[in-house]
Amino acid sequence: MSSMPVKRGSLLLIALLCAQVQAANDLVVCTEASPEGFDIVQYTAATTADASAETLFERLVDFAPGSTEIVPSLAQSWDISDDGLNYTFTLRQGVKFHANKDFMPSRAFNADDVLWSFNRQLDTEHPWHKLSLRGFPYAEAMGLAQLIEHIEKLDEHRVRFVLKHPEAPFLANLAMGFASIYSAEYAEQLLAAGKPERLNNAPIGTGPFVFERYAKDAQVRFRGNPEYWGGAPAIKRLVLAITPEPNVRQQRLKAGDCQIALYPRPVDIPALKAEPELQVLELDSLLTAYIGINTRHPPLDDVRVRQALNLAFDKAAYIRAQYGEGNATPAVAPYPATLWGHDERLQDWPHDPERARQLLAEAGHADGFALSIWTRPGGGPTNPNPGIGAQMLQADLAAIGIRSEIRVFEWGELIKRAKNGEHDLVFMGWAGDNGDPDNFLTPNLSCAAAASGENQAGWCHEKFDQLIREARRVSRPDQRAALYRQALTIFHAQAPWIPLAHPRQFVVMHKGVEGFQLSPMGSNNFARVKLAQ
């Protein structure tokens, strides 16, 4: 099945809207998909983070541009107790929240906002806890309610997180989107007015850009925040032009409709590099492409069947077709070999249809069975050409007697349905949020993530779960690495995924764009971008 095209009327609307802002020399970015919403704590998609966590919101700590180094943000400093149980943050003073037509903040950011932002996710009795339609996927998958004993307001500008046990990646976790800080004052006003949904569709943060409006499936508009504590952005307006098809993103970039095109297809990179007016940025990022196998659906609950699927798929052919030469490395584990804890002894599944058929016969499925393959339209960094990838998988499964139907869903719908466990096989990708191996394992493969639905495999393995929990509690990297190697051995044998590839990340821009840096976490922040006149 081919990728779903963008409707002609939608393209015309996008072009007209973008032409209006380009007249003012503002930044238009062609991106791949619509945000799921703007209340980032409810969502995990990278496009949602780009439209919220990277523009509107900030956290106590952040990552230095282009790296995984932790730097101050809304907290100007912090102290960690010797036992690793107490994290005390001194907050930056004088930081102003955004305003909109319905809200004018009466005070600057303070400790009350930190407590509201976290207690909303952790405390089931909090008035906002049950108002999250999607739950709190990161907080739930990472077991934060079981980790954080309580959060104390020491004074207006100091807060202390008290943990029940040491957690090695805790500080890095606080730089992730789910730890974004909201205005408690704005939330109280919305609740009193009976309009809690506006937290998701009329967001208020402290970040470098202020939300203006969202035209569904067309564009998101922001204006630069002139009162931003870190210095007003050089661009006056930012527009995210939602353009699912990679070819259309390239056409619009060349036509000048946008100055940056995210997620070009890797196979198109050589031609794009030859364009005299364009520049291509590339980086070995913390990205993983995989196919989640829903272990809750028989016969996929049988490890022999899951191993057979891994043996059946010709991964080498898939990588050549999707990424081209040298733009991705085969995936054996959930995270790239560049992260510590990777086990070099793990061997990738060979392409062995005969052995796959033997395993199916041993599992009682010599005549095969039927399943569904879920994918999306358009294409992004972990799945550049979804239609071709799904067809290749379908053909390889047919060769071992498995009949399959390809189903294509818009990105937000795909995530929602996969979280509900409706799929059999689903093409997915993950960008590491904090540079720690735990971020690939706990949110995607833990038992808590299976319960919340974020673990698309629905896979809960007691020993694996015990190992990754223990790895979070020890501080020495060598000890953590040893535990992760044991966990990866279990993952490989149990085969809840078909690991596909670790792609390189690319962005294409006009040569007049300055100051944009690729992040190894796959996020996109435009606060430091300048446009040459």
Side-chain angles (χ1 to χ4, degrees):
M1 183 179 293
S2 61
S3 297
M4 188 179 300
V6 182
K7 293 181 180 178
R8 183 179 178 86
S10 299
L11 281 176
L12 180 60
L13 173 62
I14 295 170
L16 290 172
L17 290 171
C18 290
Q20 295 173 9
V21 299
Q22 282 183 287
N25 196 32
D26 297 327
L27 179 66
V28 181
V29 179
C30 285
T31 187
E32 63 161 334
S34 302
E36 304 154 279
F38 297 92
D39 183 12
I40 184 58
V41 302
Q42 297 190 53
Y43 308 110
T44 59
T47 49
T48 303
D50 285 351
S52 54
E54 297 296 329
T55 48
L56 307 169
F57 296 108
E58 297 179 288
R59 291 141 296 281
L60 294 175
V61 295
D62 209 343
F63 298 109
S67 80
T68 57
E69 176 192 356
I70 302 295
V71 296
S73 185
L74 291 179
Q76 61 186 19
S77 64
W78 57 87
D79 294 303
I80 306 173
S81 63
D82 291 341
D83 61 7
L85 297 179
N86 295 284
Y87 288 71
T88 304
F89 295 89
T90 299
L91 307 182
R92 195 177 299 278
Q93 299 187 35
V95 175
K96 296 181 179 180
F97 278 101
H98 306 157
N100 61 26
K101 64 183 180 64
D102 298 318
F103 174 70
M104 179 63 65
S106 66
R107 60 167 178 80
F109 155 73
N110 66 24
D112 291 331
D113 303 307
V114 178
L115 266 62
W116 187 92
S117 299
F118 283 93
N119 287 336
R120 167 200 181 197
Q121 302 181 64
L122 304 176
D123 180 4
T124 57
E125 300 303 316
H126 192 280
W128 277 83
H129 186 81
K130 291 182 173 63
L131 295 176
S132 173
L133 300 178
R134 298 285 297 274
F136 304 99
Y138 273 112
E140 294 163 4
M142 298 166 70
L144 290 188
Q146 292 72 48
L147 168 65
I148 299 174
E149 179 70 45
H150 61 272
I151 307 171
E152 303 172 348
K153 175 183 175 180
L154 303 179
D155 57 42
E156 290 297 303
H157 304 293
R158 287 190 305 146
V159 295
R160 176 175 295 146
F161 289 72
V162 180
L163 307 187
K164 297 176 182 178
H165 57 77
E167 184 88 347
F170 183 69
L171 190 63
N173 288 345
L174 294 185
M176 292 165 54
F178 82 91
S180 294
I181 304 301
Y182 291 67
S183 166
E185 183 183 20
Y186 182 49
E188 290 168 5
Q189 177 179 306
L190 292 177
L191 198 60
K195 299 178 179 179
E197 71 282 354
R198 287 187 62 78
L199 197 75
N200 192 31
N201 57 40
I204 292 290
T206 61
F209 295 97
V210 180
F211 178 80
E212 287 193 329
R213 66 178 181 270
Y214 170 44
K216 183 173 174 55
D217 297 331
Q219 65 166 225
V220 191
R221 292 169 65 98
F222 309 87
R223 67 178 183 274
N225 180 3
E227 298 183 300
Y228 180 51
W229 64 267
I235 53 177
K236 293 181 180 179
R237 181 165 283 110
L238 169 67
V239 176
L240 302 181
I242 298 157
T243 316
E245 289 292 336
N247 283 337
V248 179
R249 289 198 293 275
Q250 292 179 32
Q251 292 165 11
R252 300 192 59 221
L253 179 71
K254 293 175 183 178
D257 292 338
C258 52
Q259 291 85 39
I260 299 177
L262 302 180
Y263 315 123
R265 292 187 305 186
V267 294
D268 295 331
I269 292 300
L272 290 168
K273 286 182 175 179
E275 293 282 343
E277 299 302 317
L278 302 180
Q279 54 179 323
V280 177
L281 303 184
E282 55 188 291
L283 184 69
D284 283 326
S285 297
L286 301 176
L287 298 175
T288 294
Y290 68 94
I291 299 168
I293 304 173
N294 192 345
T295 63
R296 293 160 290 199
H297 287 184
L300 304 177
D301 56 344
D302 190 319
V303 66
R304 294 169 296 185
V305 172
R306 301 196 298 271
Q307 290 174 348
L309 297 181
N310 273 273
L311 290 163
F313 194 37
D314 189 345
K315 187 187 300 184
Y318 172 84
I319 291 175
R320 286 194 301 271
Q322 287 282 36
Y323 306 104
E325 200 66 39
N327 293 326
T329 56
V332 182
Y335 57 81
T338 51
L339 277 182
W340 48 272
H342 181 77
D343 193 341
E344 298 293 342
R345 296 170 298 178
L346 290 181
Q347 297 296 312
D348 201 1
W349 294 97
H351 177 51
D352 191 343
E354 181 59 33
R355 177 57 182 152
R357 284 190 289 269
Q358 290 174 4
L359 285 172
L360 288 182
E362 291 173 16
H365 299 285
D367 295 328
F369 56 91
L371 50 70
S372 62
I373 298 171
W374 287 28
T375 192
R376 54 177 291 187
T382 57
N383 194 358
N385 198 326
I388 287 178
Q391 291 166 15
M392 293 179 77
L393 176 61
Q394 184 182 50
D396 285 347
L397 294 183
I400 63 168
I402 296 177
R403 305 172 300 282
S404 60
E405 173 195 11
I406 297 173
R407 303 191 64 188
V408 180
F409 295 93
E410 181 273 328
W411 183 230
E413 187 70 11
L414 179 75
I415 294 174
K416 182 175 71 174
R417 286 174 172 256
K419 181 175 179 177
N420 291 336
E422 300 174 27
H423 61 290
D424 290 323
L425 306 180
V426 59
F427 279 84
M428 293 296 293
W430 186 259
D433 295 281
N434 62 13
D436 193 288
D438 176 72
N439 183 252
F440 286 85
L441 303 179
T442 295
N444 292 309
L445 292 160
S446 67
C447 291
S452 73
E454 295 305 318
N455 176 345
Q456 273 91 18
W459 180 67
C460 174
H461 190 281
E462 183 177 346
K463 180 60 177 176
F464 176 91
D465 213 58
Q466 177 188 340
L467 286 166
I468 63 174
R469 287 199 309 270
E470 187 178 348
R472 294 198 302 269
R473 297 188 184 197
V474 297
S475 58
R476 284 179 47 182
D478 60 333
Q479 293 177 339
R480 296 185 71 204
L483 292 165
Y484 286 138
R485 282 192 287 270
Q486 294 180 56
L488 295 184
T489 299
I490 294 172
F491 165 85
H492 188 264
Q494 287 290 311
W497 290 1
I498 302 176
L500 296 175
H502 303 299
R504 287 177 65 78
Q505 185 182 355
F506 298 94
V507 166
V508 189
M509 313 184 299
H510 283 284
K511 288 191 173 177
V513 178
E514 303 171 354
F516 178 75
Q517 285 185 276
L518 283 172
S519 165
M521 275 79 73
S523 55
N524 296 288
N525 186 293
F526 305 100
R528 296 172 178 82
V529 171
K530 297 179 181 179
L531 298 178
Q533 297 299 316

